[in-house]
Amino acid sequence: MDDRGASFVAVRRPNPHTDTCNSNSAEAVAGSAAWLGRGLSCVCAQRRDSDAGSFFDLTLAQEECLERLQRRIEVPYDGSIVEHQEALKALWKVAFPEEELRGLISEQWKEMGWQGKDPSTDFRGGGFISLENFLFFARNFPKSFQDLLWKREGDRSVWEYPFAVAGVNITFMLVQMLDLEAVKPRTLVGATFLKFLEENESAFDLLYCIAFKLMDHQWLSMRASYMDFNTVMKSTRQELEKELLQEVSRLEDLPSYKLLSQ
């Protein structure tokens, strides 16, 4: 994957009792150097020297699963494609079921944590699969999705990470961490993940949900603010790598899966 990480804005923590999704109450400030997507991609794309030049053998079934996932990863978000438009509308509906979306390009999107009124400009960091990840999360773990969207849990920072842009970067981080664009995995973590993928075609989407909830858990544990986002993402990646290498047969058995609630 090329360096498609989006730059960031910090957003004031929304109040579900006073803020509505079509208001202008979620203030935004231009991201500092610590928020730049390029900085984040440097954190996420790191590879250990010991992994270079080595590959792990795959079963035929694992190769086929990897190829299918890679085809998903390669699809860019394209606002001219009806399927992509409908998926974006569906995301709004699951995020704000009681509010009507006025258009695919609208100031309303800022309430979800997009940088501007057109979410398509932020999807370059993760492609269409990042939108699919959002929808999977919202439909399978609606409570956790809404808790993260509204920052309902914990003692929050005044200036919080933007929910939507953070989600896109989690997709990007997972692709890099799992080395999913290589012909064969070059890391033990990547090879281990393919065992989960062989058993569950939705493993990447499920791991996305786990990673997003874990990232927020790390955020709260570190009492982080927007300047700390890269540090939180690095910590999240390290914890995920450690958990994936435990002797578990399903992603649902990972310790951080317990953070999710439906």
Side-chain angles (χ1 to χ4, degrees):
M1 179 175 289
D2 55 12
D3 188 1
R4 293 174 291 177
S7 58
F8 292 94
V9 293
V11 294
R12 182 177 61 80
R13 177 168 57 89
N15 185 331
H17 302 295
T18 61
D19 292 351
T20 60
C21 62
N22 59 357
S23 72
N24 293 320
S25 59
E27 302 169 40
V29 296
S32 68
W35 268 104
L36 293 178
R38 291 182 182 275
L40 176 57
S41 64
C42 287
V43 170
C44 297
Q46 60 188 345
R47 178 176 290 120
R48 300 177 183 85
D49 292 339
S50 59
D51 296 329
S54 60
F55 293 91
F56 289 83
D57 291 330
L58 305 177
T59 65
L60 178 60
Q62 289 172 346
E63 288 182 358
E64 292 173 348
C65 289
L66 176 59
E67 289 172 0
R68 284 193 292 271
L69 180 54
Q70 287 174 333
R71 285 195 291 270
R72 290 180 63 195
I73 292 169
E74 291 170 358
V75 177
Y77 179 84
D78 187 342
S80 67
I81 298 177
V82 174
E83 177 189 359
H84 294 198
Q85 295 174 6
E86 293 303 315
L88 191 57
K89 292 176 184 176
L91 177 61
W92 178 269
K93 189 172 183 179
V94 294
F96 304 108
E98 298 180 359
E99 297 289 337
E100 181 179 355
L101 179 64
R102 293 191 291 271
L104 291 178
I105 298 179
S106 169
E107 293 290 336
Q108 291 173 283
W109 287 109
K110 294 180 181 179
E111 299 295 330
M112 192 176 177
W114 301 103
Q115 295 184 94
K117 61 184 180 180
D118 183 3
S120 66
T121 61
D122 290 327
F123 278 120
R124 66 183 180 273
F128 184 62
I129 192 174
S130 59
L131 177 50
E132 293 178 315
N133 291 156
F134 272 124
L135 288 171
F136 182 92
F137 193 7
R139 290 166 175 167
N140 290 273
F141 302 97
K143 183 180 185 303
S144 287
F145 181 88
Q146 289 291 329
D147 286 345
L148 292 178
L149 173 63
W150 289 105
K151 307 294 194 300
R152 287 172 175 160
E153 297 181 345
D155 184 13
R156 315 298 309 201
S157 168
V158 174
W159 292 98
E160 282 282 326
Y161 63 85
F163 172 79
V165 178
V168 171
N169 277 274
I170 288 173
T171 299
F172 181 86
M173 180 269 285
L174 289 176
V175 171
Q176 297 295 313
M177 182 187 82
L178 301 173
D179 201 20
L180 292 176
E181 292 186 313
V183 176
K184 292 183 178 180
R186 292 168 289 189
T187 65
L188 182 57
V189 170
T192 301
F193 170 74
L194 291 181
K195 296 178 182 178
F196 295 118
L197 186 64
E198 183 180 6
E199 298 298 324
N200 181 359
E201 283 283 337
S202 298
F204 184 80
D205 303 271
L206 179 56
L207 187 60
Y208 171 89
C209 301
I210 296 171
F212 208 146
K213 190 65 177 177
L214 174 60
M215 184 277 291
D216 190 72
H217 178 74
Q218 300 282 76
W219 177 275
L220 291 172
S221 298
M222 297 168 66
R223 302 184 65 84
S225 187
Y226 70 95
M227 293 289 287
D228 305 311
F229 187 82
N230 283 345
T231 301
V232 173
M233 285 291 289
K234 183 176 181 180
S235 175
T236 300
R237 171 173 173 158
Q238 292 171 341
E239 179 61 26
L240 274 179
E241 289 177 328
K242 182 177 71 173
E243 292 190 13
L244 284 169
L245 295 179
Q246 294 181 5
E247 294 185 3
V248 295
S249 58
R250 307 179 309 151
L251 289 177
E252 290 88 343
D253 296 326
L254 296 180
S256 291
Y257 179 83
K258 298 176 183 178
L259 298 172
L260 289 167
S261 56
Q262 298 180 339

